[in-house]
């Protein structure tokens, strides 16, 4: 079983990694779901002037604790008016592209390891059902991870659908291999 787990992690991880490269470098999906600011330099300067450290930021930020009912209502009204910004901000240089690629490959392998373990511990089923089982795992991850961002943080429908597309196709491809491995 350990051999199948390792093989599933490596094989599935590599398939997901290659699909990610194809999806992000060759398909024009990001052209339709990611948009530039009209004045990137002005936004950059505003971010640098107002962000003390790297982290995740939210606008409008509402501190709920210790607020009166009237303050809570005013904050809710402000949040409903918009704009809403949910931003992951890194101040300073990123790690090298090579390090980021290795990290991504390791993340894909960890996901494939978990999917392989689940497959190997599932009840016996046909090859097609094993592939669907892996796709079902991906679908559950997408629903639990992407839909709350769409709902609460106003991630666009197009972006959310693109994330699902990437997730489902990648895991369907990995599932074809993992289902064969986990007979």
């Amino acid at each position: 079983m350990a051999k199948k787990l390792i093989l599933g992690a490596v094989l599935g991880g590599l398939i997901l990694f290659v699909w990610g490269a194809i999806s992000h470098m060759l398909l024009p999906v990001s052209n339709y779901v990611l948009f530039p600011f009209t004045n990137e330099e002005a936004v950059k300067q505003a971010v640098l002037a107002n962000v003390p450290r790297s982290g995740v930021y939210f606008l409008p930020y509402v501190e709920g604790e210790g607020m009166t009912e009237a303050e809570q209502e005013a904050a809710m009204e402000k949040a409903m008016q918009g704009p809403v910004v949910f931003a992951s901000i890194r101040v300073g240089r990123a790690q090298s592209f090579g390090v980021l690629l290795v990290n991504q490959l390791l993340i894909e392998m960890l996901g494939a390891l978990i999917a392989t373990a689940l497959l190997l511990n599932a009840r016996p089923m046909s090859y097609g059902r094993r592939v669907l089982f892996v796709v079902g795992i991906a679908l559950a991850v997408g629903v639990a991870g992407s839909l709350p961002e769409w709902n609460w943080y106003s991630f666009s429908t197009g972006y959310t659908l693109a994330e699902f597309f990437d997730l489902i196709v990648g895991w369907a491809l990995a599932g074809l291999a993992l289902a064969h491995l986990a007979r």
Side-chain angles (χ1 to χ4, degrees), residues 133-157:
F133 182 83
V134 173
V135 171
I137 294 169
L139 190 57
V141 168
V143 166
S146 294
L147 288 183
E149 293 167 342
W150 169 82
N151 181 49
W152 290 104
Y153 305 124
S154 302
F155 281 34
S156 73
T157 300

Side-chain angles (χ1 to χ4, degrees), residues 59-60 62 73-85 154:
L59 174 77
V62 177
E73 286 178 23
M76 182 60 88
E77 179 59 30
K78 184 179 174 183
M80 298 307 284
Q81 286 178 9
V84 172
V85 178
S154 302

Side-chain angles (χ1 to χ4, degrees), residues 172-183:
L173 293 170
L176 294 170
L178 298 179
H180 179 73
L181 177 72
R183 292 186 285 234

